[in-house]
Amino acid sequence: MTIARTLDDACVALAEHPDALLLAGGTDLMVGVNRGQVGFDHVVVIDRVDELRGWRREGDELVLGAGLTYAEMGRGELPVLLPALAQAARTVGSPQIRNAGTLGGNLATSSPAGDTLPVLVALDATVVLRSSHGTRKLALDRFVTGVKQNALEPEELIEAVRVPVLDGPQEFLKVGTRNAMVISVASLALVVDRAGRSVRVGLGSVAPVPVRAVEAEAFVDGAIDWDTGSAPEAAVDRFAGLVAEAARPIDDQRGTATYRSHAIGVLARRALRRAFPGGAP
Amino acid sequence: MSAGPYVLRVNGNDHEVPDAHLGESLLWVLRERLGLPGSKNACEEGECGSCSVQVDGELVCSCLVLAAAGVGREVTTIEGLAPDGELADVQRAFVEAGAVQCGFCTPGLIMAVDTLLDDLPDDGSDPDDLIVREAISGNLCRCTGYGRILEAVSIAADLRRENRT
Ligand SMILES: Cc1cc2nc3c(=O)[nH]c(=O)nc-3n(C[C@H](O)[C@H](O)[C@H](O)COP(=O)(O)OP(=O)(O)OC[C@H]3O[C@@H](n4cnc5c(N)ncnc54)[C@H](O)[C@@H]3O)c2cc1C
């Protein structure tokens, strides 16, 4: 076992043991380990790598370390800079899970229900990958390639995620069977870029990968009165309908495709209304 | 695959773990190798909270911690809350409120409430009901219906405050 202290330690260990189990918070991995479903003979532990911890601001961008925990997403200045991410983090699991689970682990798991993913796709996030061969960057929609599939190469790890700091309201909404400890049945992140006069919407749990509601975005950008911050009721309706059309949901044990399409439209309407309260009937 | 001998620091003492397997969880090692059965084993997937412990002061599910990766960390279990056999404040509050029925979830809940009280601001106010519910949302109790547990938290908060002043 390697307890890495630096990013270089971790990359060297991964190069030496390409089949090693890369362990961050353990909240996804240990479930399989406990069930005896995960075979391995080397573990590289990265939760003590300082370069992966925390976050920093670089100009108009935030660099979020892969080791950032959900609890940390809700602390200090981050909820002000990235409200949608903080809201998403607060819906994850329980305090126990939020203290251990990380952004990098959520990305690497690439579950359609991963709660940070709709936020990151709405923000056009860039994933920074690192190995002993160097660094590369991928847009989030290039990184997540399918259900639990992504572009990580063997020996590679996620170092950080870069997102813009935007001026405007942000919302994250999730539907599940209770408020805590719930895998989302449908989730939605809406972020507003006032300077660019644009609304961006990311959807979770309603397609194999996190998706953007591109047509709904284009429509609503033109329908909002940006000077008063208001949205006519008819525009909100149409926006919700277009968001629902962007979903490609399936039936599974947590919900039917029909329910998901309905729910995502409800979330879209609610999020837009919260972001643009003006113009409500 | 052996994890080799390693040392875990639990409740202020160093414990040698001589020949563990690499894949063992902290919960397993606490219960089966270190003779500390207070942390309970139920779901082994982080859902029930009955194995909750503090690692470096943070509440986590010990079933989701790889034991060998806990080297150099400070682990506190339910046994560590009352090292001299005298009940800790949260334990006394649970007894007083009758917040224990079958008792299986109790150690995990007490660790959760202890962490909550550690993290509360010191301004003398009672913890907000929503904050309390959120703090124990990762701990399932199938007997009490939670009413008496919530009562116990409020008693525990008073005891903790008295102790501070
Ligand atoms: C009870 C419970 C409730 C949960 N609730 C939610 C929820 O509400 N929403 C949600 O989205 N998820 C939830 N999860 C899933 C999980 O907590 C998250 O996906 C979490 O972000 C995983 O992070 P981790 O650090 O614990 O990952 P780990 O378990 O350590 O690792 C998971 C995977 O990611 C890889 N990995 C980790 N870090 C990196 C890195 N830096 N680079 C490359 N690969 C890496 C690992 O190799 C592994 O394959 C829940 C899990 C449990 C057990």
Side-chain angles (χ1 to χ4, degrees):
Chain A
M1 190 173 77
T2 307
I3 297 185
R5 302 279 170 176
T6 67
L7 207 45
D8 280 340
D9 281 356
C11 290
V12 168
L14 280 178
E16 275 171 20
H17 307 272
D19 295 330
L21 205 65
L22 189 65
L23 181 73
T27 59
D28 272 319
L29 218 42
M30 285 301 291
V31 174
V33 170
N34 288 338
R35 290 185 188 147
Q37 292 166 339
V38 184
F40 56 92
D41 48 28
H42 195 88
V43 181
V44 178
V45 186
I46 53 172
D47 67 349
R48 283 177 235 194
V49 175
D50 276 339
E51 296 134 288
L52 298 177
R53 302 299 310 265
W55 60 278
R56 61 178 192 278
R57 186 168 182 161
E58 284 183 2
D60 288 337
E61 275 197 326
L62 297 178
V63 184
L64 310 174
L68 189 71
T69 64
Y70 296 109
E72 289 163 349
M73 292 174 208
R75 265 183 220 143
E77 235 191 315
L78 265 193
V80 179
L81 294 168
L82 278 180
L85 190 68
Q87 290 171 32
R90 197 165 173 187
T91 74
V92 169
S94 62
Q96 288 88 330
I97 301 300
R98 296 196 285 275
N99 284 334
T102 65
L103 183 64
N106 206 229
L107 270 168
T109 297
S110 299
S111 158
D115 281 318
T116 67
L117 303 183
V119 181
L120 297 181
V121 80
L123 289 168
D124 281 320
T126 304
V127 185
V128 183
L129 303 172
R130 169 82 168 252
S131 73
S132 51
H133 307 299
T135 302
R136 62 182 182 122
K137 291 181 185 166
L138 278 181
L140 184 86
D141 58 1
R142 304 288 300 281
F143 176 80
V144 183
T145 54
V147 176
K148 302 203 171 177
Q149 283 177 333
N150 58 54
L152 267 175
E153 298 283 345
E155 301 182 31
E156 209 171 33
L157 56 76
I158 302 165
E159 178 180 337
V161 178
R162 304 183 75 101
V163 293
V165 179
L166 298 177
D167 170 33
Q170 301 186 355
E171 293 291 336
F172 173 86
L173 296 167
K174 161 173 165 181
V175 174
T177 42
R178 61 182 273 231
N179 281 336
M181 200 64 94
V182 80
I183 301 178
S184 79
V185 176
S187 64
L188 176 143
L190 182 146
V191 305
V192 179
D193 174 7
R194 268 198 208 112
R197 298 203 158 191
S198 76
V199 172
R200 287 135 68 163
V201 183
L203 312 181
S205 285
V206 293
V209 295
V211 290
R212 286 280 286 274
V214 186
E215 280 173 32
E217 293 175 3
F219 162 74
V220 81
D221 287 351
I224 285 167
D225 182 337
W226 289 94
D227 295 322
T228 60
S230 61
E233 190 59 11
V236 178
D237 284 341
R238 175 137 173 77
F239 172 73
L242 288 170
V243 167
E245 280 172 30
R248 284 174 285 128
I250 57 164
D251 293 334
D252 69 10
Q253 71 277 17
R254 284 193 291 280
T256 62
T258 314
Y259 175 71
R260 287 189 157 102
S261 291
H262 173 73
I264 204 78
V266 172
L267 297 187
R269 144 175 287 285
R270 195 172 295 162
L272 192 68
R273 263 290 163 244
R274 286 188 186 170
F276 298 96
Chain B
M1 193 69 194
S2 160
Y6 60 90
V7 174
L8 285 183
R9 193 160 176 81
V10 184
N11 301 331
N13 299 311
D14 284 337
H15 294 263
E16 170 117 1
V17 185
D19 45 20
H21 299 292
L22 187 51
E24 290 177 1
S25 69
L26 177 60
L27 174 63
W28 175 267
V29 168
L30 289 171
R31 292 178 56 85
E32 307 298 331
R33 299 199 182 274
L34 303 184
L36 294 168
S39 312
K40 298 300 175 216
N41 182 3
C43 75
E44 288 200 294
E45 52 182 47
E47 296 270 350
C48 75
S50 52
C51 68
S52 299
V53 301
Q54 294 160 356
V55 174
D56 290 344
E58 291 204 329
L59 189 73
V60 296
C61 291
S62 59
C63 73
L64 298 181
V65 176
L66 191 74
V71 171
R73 305 269 194 208
E74 192 77 47
V75 180
T76 306
T77 71
I78 186 73
E79 287 92 344
L81 284 198
D84 308 322
E86 201 174 306
L87 295 185
D89 50 6
V90 185
Q91 292 171 313
R92 273 190 283 147
F94 269 62
V95 173
E96 202 171 306
V100 179
Q101 284 187 35
C102 90
F104 195 85
C105 69
T106 309
L109 267 162
I110 287 182
M111 296 310 289
V113 174
D114 183 68
T115 315
L116 165 73
L117 299 184
D118 271 351
D119 294 347
L120 277 182
D122 213 1
D123 62 4
S125 60
D126 246 1
D128 178 86
D129 184 55
L130 193 66
I131 301 283
V132 173
R133 285 171 186 270
E134 194 172 4
I136 61 170
S137 62
N139 293 79
L140 295 181
C141 170
R142 300 291 81 165
C143 306
T144 63
Y146 299 100
R148 292 189 176 183
I149 292 173
L150 294 171
E151 212 176 294
V153 178
S154 140
I155 297 172
D158 289 341
L159 291 172
R160 181 76 48 112
R161 204 175 301 128
E162 279 166 24
N163 218 11
R164 273 188 189 154
T165 48

